[in-house]
Amino acid sequence: MADIIINAKKLTKTYRLFAEDVHAVNGIDFSIEQGEFVSIMGASGSGKTTLLDMIGCLDRISSGRLEVLGRDVTTLRETELVKVRRGNIGFIFQDFSLISSLTALENVELALYFARSLPKKNNAQKMLEKVGLGKRIRHLPRQLSGGEQQRVAIARALATEPRLLLADEPTGHLDSDRSQEIFDVFNTLNREDGLTIVVTTHNQKLGLQAGRAIFLQDGCIVSKERSNLFN
Amino acid sequence: MNVLSLAYKNLKRKKIRTALTVMGVAIAVGVLVSLMGFDRGYQAALTRDIDKMGYQLLVTAKGCPYEAATMMLKGGGGLRYMEEDIVKHIESDTRVDKLTPQLVATEYDPDRLDGQGGFVMYMGISDSYRDLKPWVTFKAGTWFSSLNADEAIMGYEAAELEQRAVGDKIFIPNINKVLTVVGIFDRTGTQDDGVVFLPLQTAQTLFDLPGQLTGIGIKLKDIHTIGEFEEDLYNVPGIQVISMAQVRGTILNLVASARVMANSVALIAIFIALIGVINTILMSVFERTQEIGVMKAIGASRLDVFKLIWMETLIICAAAGIIGNVIALVGSGVVEIILRKVLPYAPSGSLVLITPQFLASAFLGAIVLGILSGIYPAWRAASMIPVEAIRRGE
């Protein structure tokens, strides 16, 4: 049995909105093993992104217990959370979130710099080559298509050789062909490198390509078979 | 990839905004350096002028001491007159080393400055003038043949201005007198350069002031006796004594009040520049909220973000420090022209003296400004919670 890389017990995230408590994630239990490719699916507002933020140590949990990469992050503050995610967790965002003034290569190198992984500097070019952008490393984000920008974001997330890759709606701004290309990259990374990947998506066709799917509704995990959630 | 290159590239994104912010600080730095340069330059020039007068005390007819001091610096004496007999009285004092009587007069010459007209300053002097100012040498010609000869010695600039040479005849309008130029002094760097010197008795005759003087310059054997000597002369009726240290103090006091005001303006300019830098960087931080969130997500610590934003502020202020110094160096000529027009008395030589120490301290000051103004925006950026920053930017 593979190591459990993420373990959540009664995980809850509550926001205060207009004097009322809103449970974005409502007491869920789940675990993810190393080497799994998991998609988190659900309609808008179902709590996918909130859940991913907590798994990625970007947001603190309100109650329950959460272990990430073997570390209990339940009560950690931001200064400690950054140490957990630094170099260990790669992030991909819906809108690519590249630094517009930096080239593709520099964007990837930046992740190495902040992750204190500059000795792995060669990784930047290597990862860009791996995602098929070896000849476009000197291009600024505005000189790249949406699909290419997302591939730069993938290279940035992979450059530090993380143990966990988190992608929040990575195909939200892409057409179906480019979206499939991104998922093909994820499948390859998972299959060939054994990388643990967690992806949120509202695209059922893509989400079901993952090894396992977690369906969310109103902050709770619901049955995997309930594909009519997206109707 | 490092903080410096990232900060530089961030600033390059908004070139005009960055350039305007840099110029705001640079102008403030430039003004401050110019003012510091003026403060130093003016004092140095004034001290040099006074030292080159060759005497420590000036005796003039009673009147406004400031007017007398200014007139003295402008050319040798206040335009009030005293009896020549006083020279003998002072000369008899054993504490006196040397003294030189002077009679200053001005005449309007309509032909001066290519027909624009202007005043010519004449100064009657005696042989003792050279005793007190042994450094004054001749560019051409020689000393007067006698103390009542119809001769003139021209200061360097006066001769240059009128294109005079030894042997030329000069005409004094209103008096209708022609004098022969027998000598031209070398440049002294003082107001004497613009004066036409006449033998004392000739001046007294020409200007119809027989036995009259406008001033007596006195050099004492021992500078420490200046206080008691001044006290003694206060008892002599009809005259006043001005020490050159007092003249210097009086003029510097007058200039000091103007300087305080100018420094206040410069400090306000720096304060405004500081606000401008904070505003620019803060605006840039807010615009890049999502980017900062992403940086934190990919591993940047609070300190990393703080350093990045701080570095941007430092780059702006360091660039402003350099440009401000260049502005001060290039603009000091303009400042000098303006100051010469507005100051009651402007000594000869350079009025604005910008030293390497001023430039270095101005640059360091700009860096300190950068350090201070960067703290708040950098703290705001560093305090952002990653998830909130990322979502707020979406």
Side-chain angles (χ1 to χ4, degrees):
Chain A
M1 187 178 163
D3 291 341
I4 290 181
I5 207 165
I6 295 162
N7 193 14
K9 298 281 182 210
K10 297 194 184 314
L11 187 63
T12 302
K13 182 69 187 181
T14 307
Y15 293 107
R16 191 87 181 152
L17 200 64
F18 302 115
E20 275 189 36
D21 287 340
V22 177
H23 301 291
V25 172
N26 198 357
I28 62 174
D29 297 327
F30 72 96
S31 60
I32 296 173
E33 290 178 4
Q34 184 152 3
E36 268 198 290
F37 179 9
V38 178
S39 63
I40 300 171
M41 293 194 280
S44 290
S46 60
K48 305 185 297 288
T49 297
T50 305
L51 179 57
L52 199 76
D53 288 341
M54 287 191 288
I55 295 171
C57 301
L58 289 176
D59 205 359
R60 298 178 68 191
I61 69 173
S62 301
S63 65
R65 180 183 167 84
L66 177 65
E67 284 177 23
V68 178
L69 302 169
R71 179 134 188 226
D72 185 354
V73 299
T74 310
T75 55
L76 294 188
R77 301 177 70 83
E78 167 55 20
T79 46
E80 285 133 355
L81 290 174
V82 70
K83 290 175 192 164
V84 177
R85 62 177 182 262
R86 182 187 290 155
N88 297 316
I89 305 175
F91 290 92
I92 298 167
F93 302 96
Q94 181 176 358
D95 61 355
F96 327 130
S97 297
L98 300 175
I99 311 284
S100 60
S101 57
L102 302 182
T103 63
L105 183 65
E106 288 168 336
N107 264 288
V108 181
E109 283 178 352
L110 188 67
L112 290 166
Y113 175 74
F114 284 138
R116 280 70 171 151
S117 300
L118 274 182
K120 298 178 190 168
K121 199 176 173 183
N122 289 340
N123 273 9
Q125 184 151 356
K126 211 160 69 185
M127 289 303 160
L128 284 166
E129 283 165 2
K130 190 168 182 170
V131 296
L133 289 174
K135 291 184 177 169
R136 313 209 72 181
I137 60 171
R138 305 283 173 208
H139 286 64
L140 292 168
R142 65 169 180 274
Q143 297 165 325
L144 300 170
S145 68
E148 287 171 328
Q149 287 188 49
Q150 195 57 298
R151 279 189 276 160
V152 175
I154 293 172
R156 180 177 67 184
L158 297 175
T160 57
E161 299 172 10
R163 293 171 62 195
L164 175 63
L165 179 66
L166 303 179
D168 184 21
E169 296 279 6
T171 60
H173 287 172
L174 302 177
D175 60 33
S176 56
D177 287 348
R178 301 290 88 74
S179 299
Q180 187 55 57
E181 280 176 20
I182 297 299
F183 264 73
D184 289 345
V185 172
F186 289 157
N187 271 311
T188 308
L189 289 167
N190 176 250
R191 205 171 45 244
E192 294 180 4
D193 301 341
L195 182 65
T196 310
I197 302 174
V198 182
V199 181
T200 66
T201 180
H202 60 266
N203 185 322
Q204 192 176 9
K205 185 181 158 224
L206 293 171
L208 292 175
Q209 292 176 22
R212 182 155 66 100
I214 294 173
F215 290 89
L216 286 182
Q217 186 178 33
D218 297 331
C220 299
I221 294 178
V222 294
S223 166
K224 187 177 176 181
E225 285 72 33
R226 290 187 61 184
S227 55
N228 61 351
L229 276 170
F230 303 97
N231 296 333
Chain B
M1 179 58 54
N2 55 46
V3 169
L4 183 65
S5 66
L6 184 58
Y8 175 68
K9 284 182 177 180
N10 281 337
L11 291 172
K12 261 176 61 179
R13 269 197 262 186
K14 303 277 181 187
K15 289 191 185 76
I16 293 176
R17 186 165 70 188
T18 303
L20 287 175
T21 311
V22 167
M23 284 315 290
V25 182
I27 289 168
V29 169
V31 169
L32 194 69
V33 171
S34 298
L35 285 173
M36 287 194 298
F38 162 67
D39 192 28
R40 174 69 64 89
Y42 189 86
Q43 283 197 41
L46 186 61
T47 306
R48 192 173 54 238
D49 260 18
I50 287 172
D51 289 347
K52 278 200 169 178
M53 293 189 86
Y55 42 83
Q56 302 132 351
L57 288 168
L58 172 70
V59 173
T60 64
K62 259 205 186 339
C64 167
Y66 169 64
E67 182 194 22
T70 307
M71 284 307 294
M72 188 64 212
L73 280 161
K74 282 182 173 171
L79 293 178
R80 289 169 190 272
Y81 305 103
M82 58 188 177
E83 292 299 323
E84 200 172 12
D85 298 345
I86 196 78
V87 174
K88 286 184 185 129
H89 173 76
I90 296 170
E91 224 166 13
S92 62
D93 194 307
T94 53
R95 290 168 295 191
V96 173
D97 181 19
K98 289 163 188 165
L99 59 75
T100 182
Q102 299 167 348
L103 174 65
V104 170
T106 52
E107 283 296 338
Y108 185 77
D109 181 354
D111 296 328
R112 196 173 160 86
L113 300 171
D114 292 331
Q116 289 178 44
F119 281 94
V120 180
M121 184 167 280
Y122 299 94
M123 187 191 287
I125 52 174
S126 64
D127 292 345
S128 56
Y129 177 86
R130 294 167 78 192
D131 296 339
L132 264 106
K133 302 190 183 193
W135 56 82
V136 176
T137 52
F138 284 94
K139 180 191 169 203
T142 183
W143 190 250
F144 306 116
S145 57
S146 71
L147 275 182
N148 55 7
D150 290 339
E151 293 169 349
I153 296 173
M154 300 187 79
Y156 183 88
E157 279 171 18
E160 285 280 302
L161 192 72
E162 296 187 24
Q163 293 291 299
R164 298 292 183 187
V166 171
D168 284 0
K169 305 285 184 194
I170 55 171
F171 177 68
I172 306 177
N174 305 327
I175 294 171
N176 292 324
K177 183 75 184 175
V178 175
L179 301 172
T180 306
V181 178
V182 293
I184 296 169
F185 284 141
D186 273 320
R187 190 189 288 278
T188 61
T190 66
Q191 302 292 342
D192 283 4
D193 288 346
V195 176
V196 177
F197 296 93
L198 312 176
L200 183 60
Q201 284 174 26
T202 306
Q204 287 171 331
T205 310
L206 286 181
F207 299 109
D208 198 19
L209 295 162
Q212 301 285 298
L213 298 175
T214 49
I216 305 165
I218 302 166
K219 187 178 179 219
L220 298 175
K221 287 173 185 161
D222 180 2
I223 187 73
H224 298 106
T225 60
I226 196 163
E228 58 185 67
F229 184 78
E230 265 185 88
E231 281 292 319
D232 292 347
L233 280 188
Y234 281 136
N235 301 324
V236 180
I239 62 162
Q240 63 184 353
V241 188
I242 305 160
S243 76
M244 287 300 110
Q246 193 184 333
V247 171
R248 182 174 174 273
T250 308
I251 293 174
L252 285 183
N253 277 343
L254 281 166
V255 175
S257 53
R259 195 178 66 221
V260 167
M261 212 156 92
N263 282 348
S264 308
V265 171
L267 286 175
I268 289 168
I270 285 174
F271 183 72
I272 292 169
L274 181 96
I275 302 289
V277 173
I278 294 173
N279 181 49
T280 299
I281 299 294
L282 209 51
M283 206 186 302
S284 162
V285 164
F286 291 145
E287 281 170 3
R288 288 183 288 153
T289 297
Q290 190 191 16
E291 226 176 79
I292 291 165
V294 170
M295 284 183 201
K296 288 190 145 195
I298 64 176
S301 63
R302 285 174 65 107
L303 185 63
D304 288 329
V305 176
F306 191 93
K307 278 197 295 191
L308 174 65
I309 306 300
W310 219 16
M311 187 59 75
E312 289 177 21
T313 325
L314 279 177
I315 291 173
I316 284 180
C317 291
I322 294 167
I323 296 170
N325 279 343
V326 173
I327 289 173
L329 287 170
V330 175
S332 60
V334 181
V335 172
E336 181 144 353
I337 292 167
I338 296 167
L339 288 172
R340 282 200 182 278
K341 284 192 177 163
V342 299
L343 286 174
Y345 165 70
S348 54
S350 181
L351 283 187
V352 183
L353 187 66
I354 296 173
T355 64
Q357 285 88 344
F358 286 166
L359 298 177
S361 51
F363 180 72
L364 284 177
I367 297 286
V368 171
L369 188 78
I371 289 170
L372 293 178
S373 54
I375 290 173
Y376 179 66
W379 174 79
R380 281 295 296 259
S383 305
M384 285 179 183
I385 295 166
V387 70
E388 287 178 9
I390 292 166
R391 304 297 168 228
R392 208 185 305 155
E394 281 177 353

